[in-house]
Amino acid sequence: LDRAAGPESAGPRAPGPGPRPGPAPGPRGGSTPGGVAAAGGAPLPIAPSEGTVLPREPSLPLGFSWRAAPGAEAYLLEIEEETAPGAWLGLVRKPVRTTAAVVEVERLGGEAGRRLRWRVRAVRAGREGPASDWVVLR
């Protein structure tokens, strides 16, 4: 037996305990195991996810999707652009009846280097509910 080869050469071993269950991976903040809705009944953003790099175009179609919030009859999608570090300006505020939307986003001044962020909120009984956390895109 070649002991220098390490434990892998010692033959089959019993499987270890494996990874421990933990919270499901997903967008930052508010996600719940199983991913139905964020805390407080806000929808859970799915795509595009935090840190997604966008094409450097002054105008582009972007697809957004999220998990349904209980009791929601519609959703409100909000998209903002960073105009200066820490300063955001609203670009899109679009009502949507489903859990996905494709939106043509036109950046301010055609500057493609600025970051975008998006969030979604449920509408119940005609009233806007809590918003999801912001998802920042690069």
Side-chain angles (χ1 to χ4, degrees), residues 67-135:
R67 293 228 167 104
E73 60 197 38
Y75 299 91
L76 184 61
L77 175 64
E78 298 171 297
I79 304 167
E80 294 184 349
E81 182 176 22
E82 189 174 37
T83 58
W88 298 86
L89 184 64
L91 295 179
V92 175
R93 193 167 153 89
K94 179 181 176 88
V96 181
R97 293 220 175 262
T98 62
T99 57
V102 175
V103 178
E104 184 74 26
V105 177
E106 293 189 32
R107 295 183 170 191
L108 300 172
E111 234 179 278
R114 295 177 173 173
R115 296 186 307 166
L116 296 177
R117 69 180 183 179
W118 74 281
R119 69 180 179 184
V120 63
R121 60 178 75 231
V123 177
R124 295 177 185 91
R127 302 181 121 197
E128 294 179 15
S132 65
D133 287 341
W134 286 107
V135 177

Side-chain angles (χ1 to χ4, degrees), residues 32-84:
T32 58
V36 175
L44 180 66
I46 298 173
S49 61
E50 184 78 21
T52 297
V53 178
L54 300 175
R56 299 295 184 202
E57 306 278 335
S59 176
L60 63 149
L62 288 175
F64 298 88
S65 64
W66 53 90
R67 293 228 167 104
E73 60 197 38
Y75 299 91
L76 184 61
L77 175 64
E78 298 171 297
I79 304 167
E80 294 184 349
E81 182 176 22
E82 189 174 37
T83 58

